[in-house]
Amino acid sequence: MWFAAAVKWSCSARHMAVAAAFARRSPSISGTTLQTAQKTLNTPKFSTKTHRSNAKTFRFKMAAMTASITAPLSGVRLNVNKNSVARSAVRSGRMLTTAQAKGYKNSQLETLVSSTPFDNFSFAPIREAVVNRAMTSRYFEDLTKYSECDVVISGAGSAGLCCAYELSKLAPDAKIAIIEQGVAPGGGAWLGGQLMSAMVVRKPAHNLLDELNVPYQDEGDYVVIKHASLFTSTLLSKVLAAPNVKLFNATACEDLIVREDPVSGRYVGGAVTNWTLVSLNHDTQMCMDPNVIESKVLVSSTGHDGPMGASGVKRLARLGMVDAAPGMSALDMNTAEDMIVRNTREVVPGMIICGMEVSSPTPCPQGLTQQCLLVLSPGNA
């Protein structure tokens, strides 16, 4: 149906070349039809000025041509009854020729070209309250189920999603909750450097791409994915399909649950959560208390230092549980990405850091490629 719509859109003097190009893409278009289209393109009388003065003739000939192009593609069969054109849902392989099209009025041809099998479609009726209950009942069921988890992952960028993916395989019975403050998970992994499309991944992280069936170009020591979004969307679909993983997006990790153990001292016991929009407006509204998710382990993967990054480590620094969180140094890929892998660790009891958040408590240079976020997530560590 996109073909018919595109050809209809092309029915103007300045877009006729596009219509002919669309026609060439279909193996069912006859050579005669293409010759007619090309001849029409080369006819001087179809200049812009002449088109305005001969609009009716132009519209008729273009409608005839497009009808002959689209009829075998759209599954429309013509039934002629006293100058009426009726559509049939029965698919017909017979092509409507230009000569046949001349037997119909302009308005009838326009109806034919613009009609689709969905013109009279109607969904089954549903009440708004039914939609409400379908969403809220499931969401609050998830909140209840995941109020106590084995693992909470704060941040659904490439490192957090890789962590969730690996854990879903290694521990299929574990309850894993992902907290993502944005509406759209994926962090910065929807694009490459400087908002460009391609993603560069150094080996051996290509093994994960092979497992996910993400195609790439092999350049020796590294591979290139044609669009970063291809990797991120594929990984995200695997994570969301895992039966033991729940993503709470548009939800902020406002704080950490920190408990005191008489022997080992303080440890992290979960996440303090709130709607992101509430978290962003604490200074503009009255106090709005949060919620909590208890966990045996919290994985903080909130990215490198910045306005919204490294929030887990920054909180530990304010609590005095780590010495400081100075943030990452200047860019040096060959140093940075090895350091990120080596320093993925349990930074305090109950809390693991991974991805670029590792660069905050252990200052390391900035990198550009993605393998340090993929090759060694906590699930693989």
Side-chain angles (χ1 to χ4, degrees), residues 337-359:
E337 292 162 357
D338 291 344
M339 289 185 66
I340 293 296
V341 172
R342 286 198 300 267
N343 287 285
T344 297
R345 67 193 188 280
E346 187 177 28
V347 65
V348 297
M351 179 169 157
I352 294 173
I353 55 173
C354 70
M356 290 306 297
E357 189 166 358
V358 173
S359 66

PDB file of all heavy atoms in Angstrom, residues 337-359:
ATOM      1  N   GLU A 337      39.699   2.560  27.981  1.00  0.00           N
ATOM      2  CA  GLU A 337      38.785   1.432  27.852  1.00  0.00           C
ATOM      3  C   GLU A 337      39.308   0.183  28.540  1.00  0.00           C
ATOM      4  O   GLU A 337      38.525  -0.620  29.064  1.00  0.00           O
ATOM      5  CB  GLU A 337      38.471   1.222  26.374  1.00  0.00           C
ATOM      6  CG  GLU A 337      37.655   2.412  25.879  1.00  0.00           C
ATOM      7  CD  GLU A 337      37.633   2.582  24.370  1.00  0.00           C
ATOM      8  OE1 GLU A 337      38.303   1.796  23.673  1.00  0.00           O
ATOM      9  OE2 GLU A 337      36.939   3.492  23.899  1.00  0.00           O
ATOM     10  N   ASP A 338      40.626   0.027  28.609  1.00  0.00           N
ATOM     11  CA  ASP A 338      41.187  -1.067  29.403  1.00  0.00           C
ATOM     12  C   ASP A 338      40.927  -0.837  30.891  1.00  0.00           C
ATOM     13  O   ASP A 338      40.619  -1.774  31.636  1.00  0.00           O
ATOM     14  CB  ASP A 338      42.696  -1.186  29.157  1.00  0.00           C
ATOM     15  CG  ASP A 338      43.010  -1.683  27.750  1.00  0.00           C
ATOM     16  OD1 ASP A 338      42.088  -2.216  27.107  1.00  0.00           O
ATOM     17  OD2 ASP A 338      44.157  -1.527  27.309  1.00  0.00           O
ATOM     18  N   MET A 339      41.035   0.426  31.330  1.00  0.00           N
ATOM     19  CA  MET A 339      40.819   0.738  32.745  1.00  0.00           C
ATOM     20  C   MET A 339      39.366   0.504  33.152  1.00  0.00           C
ATOM     21  O   MET A 339      39.094   0.049  34.276  1.00  0.00           O
ATOM     22  CB  MET A 339      41.222   2.180  33.038  1.00  0.00           C
ATOM     23  CG  MET A 339      42.722   2.440  32.989  1.00  0.00           C
ATOM     24  SD  MET A 339      43.135   4.142  33.484  1.00  0.00           S
ATOM     25  CE  MET A 339      42.661   4.139  35.211  1.00  0.00           C
ATOM     26  N   ILE A 340      38.442   0.822  32.263  1.00  0.00           N
ATOM     27  CA  ILE A 340      37.028   0.601  32.580  1.00  0.00           C
ATOM     28  C   ILE A 340      36.768  -0.878  32.819  1.00  0.00           C
ATOM     29  O   ILE A 340      36.077  -1.267  33.774  1.00  0.00           O
ATOM     30  CB  ILE A 340      36.135   1.121  31.436  1.00  0.00           C
ATOM     31  CG1 ILE A 340      36.226   2.642  31.319  1.00  0.00           C
ATOM     32  CG2 ILE A 340      34.687   0.683  31.643  1.00  0.00           C
ATOM     33  CD1 ILE A 340      35.701   3.389  32.514  1.00  0.00           C
ATOM     34  N   VAL A 341      37.342  -1.719  31.979  1.00  0.00           N
ATOM     35  CA  VAL A 341      37.144  -3.162  32.129  1.00  0.00           C
ATOM     36  C   VAL A 341      37.789  -3.654  33.419  1.00  0.00           C
ATOM     37  O   VAL A 341      37.179  -4.401  34.199  1.00  0.00           O
ATOM     38  CB  VAL A 341      37.709  -3.910  30.901  1.00  0.00           C
ATOM     39  CG1 VAL A 341      37.687  -5.414  31.144  1.00  0.00           C
ATOM     40  CG2 VAL A 341      36.929  -3.554  29.649  1.00  0.00           C
ATOM     41  N   ARG A 342      39.025  -3.222  33.677  1.00  0.00           N
ATOM     42  CA  ARG A 342      39.742  -3.718  34.856  1.00  0.00           C
ATOM     43  C   ARG A 342      39.091  -3.266  36.157  1.00  0.00           C
ATOM     44  O   ARG A 342      39.165  -3.967  37.178  1.00  0.00           O
ATOM     45  CB  ARG A 342      41.201  -3.238  34.815  1.00  0.00           C
ATOM     46  CG  ARG A 342      42.066  -3.949  33.801  1.00  0.00           C
ATOM     47  CD  ARG A 342      43.539  -3.743  34.106  1.00  0.00           C
ATOM     48  NE  ARG A 342      43.910  -2.322  34.083  1.00  0.00           N
ATOM     49  CZ  ARG A 342      44.385  -1.684  33.023  1.00  0.00           C
ATOM     50  NH1 ARG A 342      44.551  -2.345  31.885  1.00  0.00           N
ATOM     51  NH2 ARG A 342      44.709  -0.415  33.088  1.00  0.00           N
ATOM     52  N   ASN A 343      38.479  -2.092  36.161  1.00  0.00           N
ATOM     53  CA  ASN A 343      37.969  -1.522  37.409  1.00  0.00           C
ATOM     54  C   ASN A 343      36.467  -1.717  37.607  1.00  0.00           C
ATOM     55  O   ASN A 343      35.882  -1.119  38.513  1.00  0.00           O
ATOM     56  CB  ASN A 343      38.314  -0.038  37.480  1.00  0.00           C
ATOM     57  CG  ASN A 343      39.784   0.196  37.755  1.00  0.00           C
ATOM     58  OD1 ASN A 343      40.258   0.019  38.876  1.00  0.00           O
ATOM     59  ND2 ASN A 343      40.514   0.569  36.716  1.00  0.00           N
ATOM     60  N   THR A 344      35.819  -2.511  36.774  1.00  0.00           N
ATOM     61  CA  THR A 344      34.438  -2.910  37.046  1.00  0.00           C
ATOM     62  C   THR A 344      34.458  -3.804  38.282  1.00  0.00           C
ATOM     63  O   THR A 344      35.080  -4.861  38.292  1.00  0.00           O
ATOM     64  CB  THR A 344      33.852  -3.668  35.839  1.00  0.00           C
ATOM     65  OG1 THR A 344      33.803  -2.803  34.717  1.00  0.00           O
ATOM     66  CG2 THR A 344      32.448  -4.169  36.158  1.00  0.00           C
ATOM     67  N   ARG A 345      33.777  -3.359  39.362  1.00  0.00           N
ATOM     68  CA  ARG A 345      33.978  -4.044  40.639  1.00  0.00           C
ATOM     69  C   ARG A 345      32.883  -3.686  41.647  1.00  0.00           C
ATOM     70  O   ARG A 345      32.069  -2.791  41.394  1.00  0.00           O
ATOM     71  CB  ARG A 345      35.324  -3.649  41.236  1.00  0.00           C
ATOM     72  CG  ARG A 345      35.385  -2.177  41.656  1.00  0.00           C
ATOM     73  CD  ARG A 345      36.814  -1.758  41.939  1.00  0.00           C
ATOM     74  NE  ARG A 345      36.911  -0.424  42.530  1.00  0.00           N
ATOM     75  CZ  ARG A 345      36.850   0.706  41.842  1.00  0.00           C
ATOM     76  NH1 ARG A 345      36.672   0.675  40.530  1.00  0.00           N
ATOM     77  NH2 ARG A 345      36.975   1.883  42.448  1.00  0.00           N
ATOM     78  N   GLU A 346      32.915  -4.363  42.775  1.00  0.00           N
ATOM     79  CA  GLU A 346      32.080  -4.008  43.912  1.00  0.00           C
ATOM     80  C   GLU A 346      32.796  -2.886  44.659  1.00  0.00           C
ATOM     81  O   GLU A 346      33.769  -3.118  45.379  1.00  0.00           O
ATOM     82  CB  GLU A 346      31.848  -5.218  44.823  1.00  0.00           C
ATOM     83  CG  GLU A 346      30.845  -4.953  45.938  1.00  0.00           C
ATOM     84  CD  GLU A 346      30.570  -6.179  46.785  1.00  0.00           C
ATOM     85  OE1 GLU A 346      31.468  -7.044  46.895  1.00  0.00           O
ATOM     86  OE2 GLU A 346      29.454  -6.286  47.335  1.00  0.00           O
ATOM     87  N   VAL A 347      32.296  -1.675  44.505  1.00  0.00           N
ATOM     88  CA  VAL A 347      32.996  -0.512  45.042  1.00  0.00           C
ATOM     89  C   VAL A 347      32.771  -0.366  46.539  1.00  0.00           C
ATOM     90  O   VAL A 347      33.648   0.113  47.276  1.00  0.00           O
ATOM     91  CB  VAL A 347      32.582   0.767  44.278  1.00  0.00           C
ATOM     92  CG1 VAL A 347      31.121   1.095  44.487  1.00  0.00           C
ATOM     93  CG2 VAL A 347      33.474   1.930  44.637  1.00  0.00           C
ATOM     94  N   VAL A 348      31.597  -0.754  47.018  1.00  0.00           N
ATOM     95  CA  VAL A 348      31.300  -0.872  48.449  1.00  0.00           C
ATOM     96  C   VAL A 348      30.450  -2.115  48.604  1.00  0.00           C
ATOM     97  O   VAL A 348      29.855  -2.596  47.623  1.00  0.00           O
ATOM     98  CB  VAL A 348      30.553   0.373  49.001  1.00  0.00           C
ATOM     99  CG1 VAL A 348      31.404   1.623  48.880  1.00  0.00           C
ATOM    100  CG2 VAL A 348      29.201   0.540  48.328  1.00  0.00           C
ATOM    101  N   PRO A 349      30.335  -2.679  49.797  1.00  0.00           N
ATOM    102  CA  PRO A 349      29.515  -3.878  49.969  1.00  0.00           C
ATOM    103  C   PRO A 349      28.085  -3.650  49.475  1.00  0.00           C
ATOM    104  O   PRO A 349      27.415  -2.690  49.851  1.00  0.00           O
ATOM    105  CB  PRO A 349      29.553  -4.112  51.482  1.00  0.00           C
ATOM    106  CG  PRO A 349      30.853  -3.536  51.917  1.00  0.00           C
ATOM    107  CD  PRO A 349      31.053  -2.328  51.059  1.00  0.00           C
ATOM    108  N   GLY A 350      27.656  -4.526  48.584  1.00  0.00           N
ATOM    109  CA  GLY A 350      26.295  -4.465  48.063  1.00  0.00           C
ATOM    110  C   GLY A 350      26.116  -3.627  46.819  1.00  0.00           C
ATOM    111  O   GLY A 350      25.014  -3.600  46.242  1.00  0.00           O
ATOM    112  N   MET A 351      27.167  -2.930  46.357  1.00  0.00           N
ATOM    113  CA  MET A 351      27.019  -2.075  45.169  1.00  0.00           C
ATOM    114  C   MET A 351      28.187  -2.264  44.209  1.00  0.00           C
ATOM    115  O   MET A 351      29.365  -2.086  44.572  1.00  0.00           O
ATOM    116  CB  MET A 351      26.918  -0.605  45.566  1.00  0.00           C
ATOM    117  CG  MET A 351      26.799   0.339  44.377  1.00  0.00           C
ATOM    118  SD  MET A 351      26.362   2.019  44.904  1.00  0.00           S
ATOM    119  CE  MET A 351      26.963   2.971  43.515  1.00  0.00           C
ATOM    120  N   ILE A 352      27.825  -2.611  42.969  1.00  0.00           N
ATOM    121  CA  ILE A 352      28.793  -2.785  41.885  1.00  0.00           C
ATOM    122  C   ILE A 352      28.664  -1.605  40.938  1.00  0.00           C
ATOM    123  O   ILE A 352      27.563  -1.109  40.680  1.00  0.00           O
ATOM    124  CB  ILE A 352      28.525  -4.103  41.131  1.00  0.00           C
ATOM    125  CG1 ILE A 352      28.794  -5.303  42.056  1.00  0.00           C
ATOM    126  CG2 ILE A 352      29.372  -4.206  39.879  1.00  0.00           C
ATOM    127  CD1 ILE A 352      28.400  -6.637  41.441  1.00  0.00           C
ATOM    128  N   ILE A 353      29.776  -1.136  40.419  1.00  0.00           N
ATOM    129  CA  ILE A 353      29.751  -0.096  39.391  1.00  0.00           C
ATOM    130  C   ILE A 353      30.257  -0.693  38.083  1.00  0.00           C
ATOM    131  O   ILE A 353      31.136  -1.557  38.065  1.00  0.00           O
ATOM    132  CB  ILE A 353      30.596   1.133  39.780  1.00  0.00           C
ATOM    133  CG1 ILE A 353      32.028   0.733  40.114  1.00  0.00           C
ATOM    134  CG2 ILE A 353      29.947   1.887  40.922  1.00  0.00           C
ATOM    135  CD1 ILE A 353      32.956   1.929  40.339  1.00  0.00           C
ATOM    136  N   CYS A 354      29.676  -0.238  36.978  1.00  0.00           N
ATOM    137  CA  CYS A 354      30.100  -0.716  35.668  1.00  0.00           C
ATOM    138  C   CYS A 354      29.896   0.388  34.651  1.00  0.00           C
ATOM    139  O   CYS A 354      29.291   1.430  34.924  1.00  0.00           O
ATOM    140  CB  CYS A 354      29.349  -1.982  35.262  1.00  0.00           C
ATOM    141  SG  CYS A 354      27.602  -1.725  34.894  1.00  0.00           S
ATOM    142  N   GLY A 355      30.413   0.153  33.453  1.00  0.00           N
ATOM    143  CA  GLY A 355      30.295   1.151  32.394  1.00  0.00           C
ATOM    144  C   GLY A 355      31.121   2.390  32.716  1.00  0.00           C
ATOM    145  O   GLY A 355      32.088   2.349  33.483  1.00  0.00           O
ATOM    146  N   MET A 356      30.709   3.508  32.152  1.00  0.00           N
ATOM    147  CA  MET A 356      31.491   4.726  32.304  1.00  0.00           C
ATOM    148  C   MET A 356      31.423   5.312  33.719  1.00  0.00           C
ATOM    149  O   MET A 356      32.209   6.199  34.056  1.00  0.00           O
ATOM    150  CB  MET A 356      31.030   5.764  31.289  1.00  0.00           C
ATOM    151  CG  MET A 356      31.386   5.420  29.852  1.00  0.00           C
ATOM    152  SD  MET A 356      33.147   5.080  29.617  1.00  0.00           S
ATOM    153  CE  MET A 356      33.873   6.654  30.054  1.00  0.00           C
ATOM    154  N   GLU A 357      30.516   4.835  34.558  1.00  0.00           N
ATOM    155  CA  GLU A 357      30.505   5.306  35.945  1.00  0.00           C
ATOM    156  C   GLU A 357      31.774   4.897  36.680  1.00  0.00           C
ATOM    157  O   GLU A 357      32.162   5.525  37.669  1.00  0.00           O
ATOM    158  CB  GLU A 357      29.271   4.789  36.686  1.00  0.00           C
ATOM    159  CG  GLU A 357      29.093   5.410  38.057  1.00  0.00           C
ATOM    160  CD  GLU A 357      27.728   5.180  38.668  1.00  0.00           C
ATOM    161  OE1 GLU A 357      26.873   4.547  37.997  1.00  0.00           O
ATOM    162  OE2 GLU A 357      27.502   5.633  39.801  1.00  0.00           O
ATOM    163  N   VAL A 358      32.450   3.865  36.174  1.00  0.00           N
ATOM    164  CA  VAL A 358      33.713   3.423  36.766  1.00  0.00           C
ATOM    165  C   VAL A 358      34.740   4.553  36.743  1.00  0.00           C
ATOM    166  O   VAL A 358      35.633   4.619  37.595  1.00  0.00           O
ATOM    167  CB  VAL A 358      34.240   2.188  36.016  1.00  0.00           C
ATOM    168  CG1 VAL A 358      35.635   1.811  36.483  1.00  0.00           C
ATOM    169  CG2 VAL A 358      33.290   1.013  36.192  1.00  0.00           C
ATOM    170  N   SER A 359      34.627   5.462  35.787  1.00  0.00           N
ATOM    171  CA  SER A 359      35.626   6.525  35.640  1.00  0.00           C
ATOM    172  C   SER A 359      35.520   7.612  36.697  1.00  0.00           C
ATOM    173  O   SER A 359      36.384   8.487  36.769  1.00  0.00           O
ATOM    174  CB  SER A 359      35.506   7.170  34.256  1.00  0.00           C
ATOM    175  OG  SER A 359      34.275   7.861  34.128  1.00  0.00           O
TER     176      SER A 359
END
